[in-house]
Every structure is written in C-alpha cells, then in structure tokens.
C-alpha cells in the first residue's frame, strides 16, 4: 500500500506541475479531480453502515483519502496545525481560478467578484450553521478575532477581559495592546491540563468574573495541547452574568463536528487553511447578528449600515482566487463526512498517544477522553526541552514536529492529518521510545 501511495504521489505531482502550463492538459486535470472525488464518495458509500468510530479504523477507505494529497517523501509531517496541505483537486481548482481571473483582471474584479464572494459565503454559512448576514471571509483567525477585539465598543476604560495563559499568543498580544491604548484590563487565568470535569473548567472562568468583566476569550481547541474547552457551558455561565464570549476556533472548525450556534458564542474566528485544507490565506469571522452594530470596522466603510456585516469587507484588493477555491475544499470535506473526519483525526491522535502514555519517561500534555481532545496532541520526554526533542526527531528520524515552551505547557505539538498513515505514526512511536530510553 505504501509503495502504491508513493507512486501515486509522484504521478499526481507531475500532473499538478503540468496543469499550470498546458491548457489542453487542463482537461485531463479536471478529469483527475472528478475521479478523485468520485472514488472518495464511492469509498464512503461502502462504510455508510459503520459508525464514525468504526469507519475511522477502515484503512481501505482512508487509503483513498490519502491518495488525494501529495506529501513530501523526505520527512514525516506531524505539524499540520500551522496549516494543512490541500488535496490535489483543490490545488488544481486554485490554479484554474488564478488563470480564470488573470484572463479577466479588472473586468472580474468590478463585475463578478462580489457575486462570487456571496456564493462562497452561502456555502460557508451552511457549513457553519449560520446566516450569510453574520459571517465574513477573512485571511485567517488573527484577522477575524483582532477585528473583533479592537472593534468592541462594549469594552471601555477600566473594564475587564478574561483570558488564559494557554490562549494563542496573537490574541493575548491584541488584548495587551488594546489595554495599553484604551485602558481596559486583562485578567489572565490558568487552566488544568487534565481537567476532571467541564465544571472544573467553567469554575476557572467564573471565579475571575467581577462587575467590570465585559468579555471572555475562550479557545475552543487549545493550539498548544489540543484540549477542547466546553465553550457552550462557559457561554451559558457568562451570559447569565452579562458577559460576552469570543470563541477562538482556529483549530476546531472542520476538525470536530459542530455548528457555530452550538457554542452559544457572540463572536467567532477561525482559519480555513488549517483543517478545512483551503489555500493559504482564508479565514472566517462570525458576529452574532444583533452584536454587529457594537463592533467598529477595522477599515473605513460608509456604504453599509452599522448592523450590516458587509461593513467589514472593505479590505482593499486581495487574491480573491483563494476565496473561490474555498468551495472546492468544502466539497472535499463533505465527501469525507464531518463526523467521519473527526473520528479519524481522534483515532490518529489516540493511536500514538495510547502507545506512549504508560512510558515513565514520557509525559502526555493532552487529555485523552473523547470529549476533551481530537487530532491535536502534545507530548514531552523527561530531561529534554521541547526544542531539543523536536530537533532530535527531525535531525535523526526525519519526523517534523514543533516545540512548545510556555509557562503553562512544555512539550512538542503532534498534529497528524487525514493523509498521515499508521506506518508514519508507528515510526514516530518507535522514535519516541528510543529517545526516552537513551536520554
């Protein structure tokens, strides 16, 4: 299976490079794209009778999914949290969209761009379970959430915002800068790495609330460890006290199966180039409709009312072929199935974590309960810094991870994706056991 997979990747790589050169060959590329989707759909139909957890272990099905991607044979990539590889068909769609817009340039930008963006927004809104009147396509989570953080009119001088020492650095820095600029106050709390219950997490936030608290930043899936936080329960508690919720869902969207309203958050941001596997530079911002009017736009726009989400969309000229290609990524995601995808990603994380958890020299920094983590994890070896461990894994074993070293978390982040094979995870386990034994 591994040999045939590598041969397929070489062939797919050749197709991808030719697609940008020969317009005649582009028809063959389109046939290859349809063939790949059809095979995934056909394979999915054969596991329809299985539960998502059973289908997660069906290697015949996931082989077809793996074939849809091209990965470098020079190393094992276990750092897919920064951004994900695109399926070959999504890459081909991107090339076609670039060519299409390049042939029309200004005509497209003036005549077609807005209508196409609205169509993509409809598909994203359906995937997210919200209205098109509540979302905007952004470049990434940082742009989405910082638009909200800096635009909040309800957070005034002397008011408080609650966040944790495990939240994403850019968000913490945004709140830090806002505090310097406008005089708000940041309250930083700590969270347990292995909570015993949702209540334990909710209590951490509740204890920090005061009469001056206006907003809480909650990371849905913590990027450092992969821990999933109970956003809905935190939101219910906070709303009862008149406090708003911002959900940083950079790693959870298209990773675990949920709709934005399930979280009961007021504001939401995510990156689509992570687990949805769109081209780089695609994100999503959501603001609950009745909250839009209380957020200032980042850029000047007088053509839309204060309560119209389109007031945020005047961002200047940008590579809109990326936005067009989101449609292809959604089709690929739906062909696999959101529940099936979540189950597979959790299975991959548990596959390596279960094999290492009882090693006395290895520390797991991610809870393994199904409701508390999915595909993203964090692990450490006693006696080695995260950077040392990441360097040894790459230099000696050609396994790529990233070292995480903060006040709250010390370990390497391990993020397999749908294209990761069990053979690659076995290689990672063997390497970790050998490193633990010899360090």
């Amino acid at each position: 299976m591994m040999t045939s997979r590598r041969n397929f990747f070489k062939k797919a790589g050749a197709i991808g490079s030719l697609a940008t050169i020969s317009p005649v060959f582009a028809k063959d590329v389109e046939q290859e794209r349809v063939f790949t989707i059809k095979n995934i759909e056909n394979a999915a139909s054969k596991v329809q009778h299985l539960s998502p957890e059973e289908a997660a272990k069906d290697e015949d099905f996931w082989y077809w999914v793996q074939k849809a991607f091209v990965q470098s044979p020079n190393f094992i990539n276990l750092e897919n949290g920064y951004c994900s590889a695109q399926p070959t068909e999504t890459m081909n769609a991107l090339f076609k969209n670039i060519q299409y817009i390049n042939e029309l340039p200004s005509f497209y930008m003036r005549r077609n761009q807005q209508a196409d963006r609205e169509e993509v927004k409809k598909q994203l809104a359906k995937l997210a379970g919200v209205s098109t009147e509540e979302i905007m396509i952004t470049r990434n989570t940082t742009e989405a959430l910082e638009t909200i953080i800096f635009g909040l009119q309800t957070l005034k001088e002397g008011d408080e915002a609650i966040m944790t020492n495990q939240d994403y650095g850019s968000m913490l820095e945004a709140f830090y800068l806002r505090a310097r600029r406008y005089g708000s106050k940041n309250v930083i709390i700590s969270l347990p790495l292995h909570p015993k219950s949702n209540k334990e997490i909710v209590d951490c936030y509740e204890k920090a609330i005061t009469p001056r608290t206006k907003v809480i930043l909650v990371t849905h899936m913590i990027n450092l460890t992969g821990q999933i936080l109970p956003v809905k329960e935190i939101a219910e508690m906070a709303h009862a006290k008149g406090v708003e919720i911002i959900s940083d869902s950079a790693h959870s969207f298209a990773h675990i199966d949920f709709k934005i309203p399930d979280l009961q958050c007021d504001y939401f941001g995510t990156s689509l180039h992570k687990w949805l596997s769109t081209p780089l530079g695609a994100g999503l911002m959501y603001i609950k409709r009745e909250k839009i009017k209380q957020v200032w736009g980042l850029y000047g726009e007088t053509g839309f009312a204060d309560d119209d989400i389109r007031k945020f969309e005047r961002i200047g000229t940008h590579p809109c072929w990326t936005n067009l290609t989101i449609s292809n990524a959604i089709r690929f995601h739906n062909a696999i199935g959101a529940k099936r995808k979540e189950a597979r990603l959790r299975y991959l994380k548990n596959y390596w974590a279960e094999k290492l958890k009882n090693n006395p020299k290895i520390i797991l920094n991610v809870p393994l309960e199904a409701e508390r983590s999915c595909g993203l994890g964090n692990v450490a070896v006693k006696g080695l810094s995260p950077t040392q461990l990441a360097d040894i894994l790459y230099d000696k074993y050609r396994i790529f991870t990233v070292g995480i070293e903060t006040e709250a978390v010390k370990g390497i982040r391990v993020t397999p994706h749908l294209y990761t094979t069990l053979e690659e995870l076995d290689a990672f386990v063997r390497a970790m056991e050998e490193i633990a034994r010899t360090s």
Side-chain angles (χ1 to χ4, degrees), residues 26-46:
K27 294 181 180 179
D28 296 329
V29 172
E30 177 66 13
Q31 291 171 3
E32 179 69 18
R33 183 190 71 80
V34 174
F35 177 81
T36 302
I37 288 179
K38 289 295 183 184
N39 273 268
I40 291 176
E41 289 174 341
N42 289 340
S45 69
K46 295 175 182 177

Side-chain angles (χ1 to χ4, degrees), residues 265-315:
C265 59
D266 303 286
Y267 312 97
F268 172 103
T270 192
S271 291
L272 305 177
H273 52 239
K274 291 186 184 292
W275 300 97
L276 191 59
S277 294
T278 71
L280 280 170
L284 174 69
M285 179 179 76
Y286 160 85
I287 301 178
K288 205 171 190 178
R289 191 161 189 175
E290 58 267 30
K291 304 284 185 178
I292 295 172
K293 62 180 178 294
Q294 65 188 38
V295 182
W296 288 109
L298 188 61
Y299 301 103
E301 173 58 83
T302 59
F304 294 101
D306 287 344
D307 61 353
D308 192 325
I309 195 75
R310 292 167 185 81
K311 73 181 183 181
F312 298 105
E313 293 183 346
R314 194 172 198 172
I315 60 173

Side-chain angles (χ1 to χ4, degrees), residues 384-397:
L384 293 175
S385 73
T387 301
Q388 288 173 324
L389 179 54
D391 286 346
I392 293 170
L393 280 168
Y394 184 75
D395 293 342
K396 184 174 180 180
Y397 301 96

Side-chain angles (χ1 to χ4, degrees), residues 13 22 39 41 61 87 97 190 250 262 301 378 389 405 408:
S22 171
N39 273 268
E41 289 174 341
F61 171 71
N97 288 332
S190 298
D262 297 339
E301 173 58 83
N378 188 295
L389 179 54
E405 192 156 5

Side-chain angles (χ1 to χ4, degrees), residues 117-127 132 135:
R117 181 166 64 235
E118 289 300 316
E119 179 57 36
V120 174
K121 282 178 62 176
K122 288 179 184 177
Q123 297 173 35
L124 271 174
K126 182 178 180 180
L127 182 65
T132 57
I135 63 170

Side-chain angles (χ1 to χ4, degrees), residues 212-254:
R212 297 307 301 265
T213 304
K214 299 299 181 183
V215 66
I216 298 175
L217 172 68
V218 182
T219 302
H220 192 186
M221 181 183 291
I222 297 175
N223 76 294
L224 305 176
T225 65
Q227 182 180 168
I228 298 171
L229 298 186
V231 182
K232 177 183 176 181
E233 287 88 339
I234 295 168
E236 289 174 340
M237 175 276 296
H239 287 157
K241 298 175 182 293
V243 177
E244 296 181 319
I245 294 292
I246 300 174
S247 177
D248 180 346
S249 296
H251 283 277
S252 57
F253 190 75

